[in-house]
Amino acid sequence: MAFRPLTARAPAVLLREAKPLKAILGHAQRLGHLQRLLESQLQPAAREHCHVASWREGSLLLIVTDGHWATRLRYQQKRLQRQLQMFDEFTNLTRILFKVQPPTVQQGAAGHTMDLSNDAAATIQATADGISDPNLRAALERLAAHARPKG
């Protein structure tokens, strides 16, 4: 007896028909909807720093990127709670919890390269030549070594 693999199905069909995937998709869509409602009530600067993590039993858990934004949002917590309770989805909202969770990858840190012109490197090297402190001089020389290669 030969093994016959199942015929391939489109991802959209799998998401609609497979029960576990359907449940995950439904939960993700619900969280996306709650996120849009939350963002409609947040200041524009705070929107990228605050995300809905869960909503159950009258408690809304928000993930905030850093302590600064968590503090700012805690000061606005009562106002935000009143505004969210006006939506049907949040009518039984009793409390908002904030959890600080920094992004796992620092933006801008990955793949960062220093572009330093040859003129800037020459100026830094000239400054280093006039410095008597050996540690500062070495640091400036390392910095000057980052110049773009001539080519």
Side-chain angles (χ1 to χ4, degrees), residues 12 22 27 31 46 59 72 76 101 122 151:
K22 188 175 179 180
H27 186 67
L31 285 178
S59 181
R72 287 183 68 171
Q76 302 172 25
Q101 184 176 354

Side-chain angles (χ1 to χ4, degrees), residues 7-151:
T7 57
R9 297 191 305 179
V13 172
L14 285 174
L15 289 174
R16 281 193 310 270
E17 294 176 1
K19 286 192 179 196
L21 293 177
K22 188 175 179 180
I24 292 171
L25 178 64
H27 186 67
Q29 288 174 333
R30 181 174 169 255
L31 285 178
H33 176 66
L34 296 176
Q35 179 69 32
R36 286 187 296 279
L37 292 176
L38 172 68
E39 287 176 356
S40 73
Q41 302 305 313
L42 289 176
Q43 299 168 348
R47 291 177 185 156
E48 68 182 272
H49 301 283
C50 185
H51 303 283
V52 174
S54 69
W55 165 239
R56 64 175 68 103
E57 299 173 4
S59 181
L60 178 64
L61 175 61
L62 302 177
I63 300 294
V64 186
T65 58
D66 58 41
H68 165 78
W69 283 104
T71 300
R72 287 183 68 171
L73 290 168
R74 281 186 187 109
Y75 279 119
Q76 302 172 25
Q77 184 172 355
K78 293 295 181 191
R79 176 196 59 81
L80 182 60
Q81 185 173 339
R82 280 192 309 271
Q83 289 176 323
L84 289 175
Q85 285 172 335
M86 292 182 195
F87 294 112
D88 291 338
E89 291 84 346
F90 291 112
T91 53
N92 63 341
L93 178 63
T94 57
R95 66 182 182 163
I96 300 176
L97 303 170
F98 298 96
K99 180 178 179 185
V100 176
Q101 184 176 354
T104 54
V105 176
Q106 293 294 327
Q107 295 157 353
H112 176 70
T113 59
M114 185 183 305
D115 291 329
L116 188 64
S117 70
N118 291 322
D119 291 337
T123 303
I124 293 171
Q125 184 60 52
T127 303
D129 293 340
I131 300 292
S132 60
D133 182 336
N135 291 334
L136 180 57
R137 181 180 184 137
L140 288 171
E141 288 173 345
R142 284 193 308 272
L143 181 61
H146 286 284
R148 277 185 247 140
K150 294 178 182 176

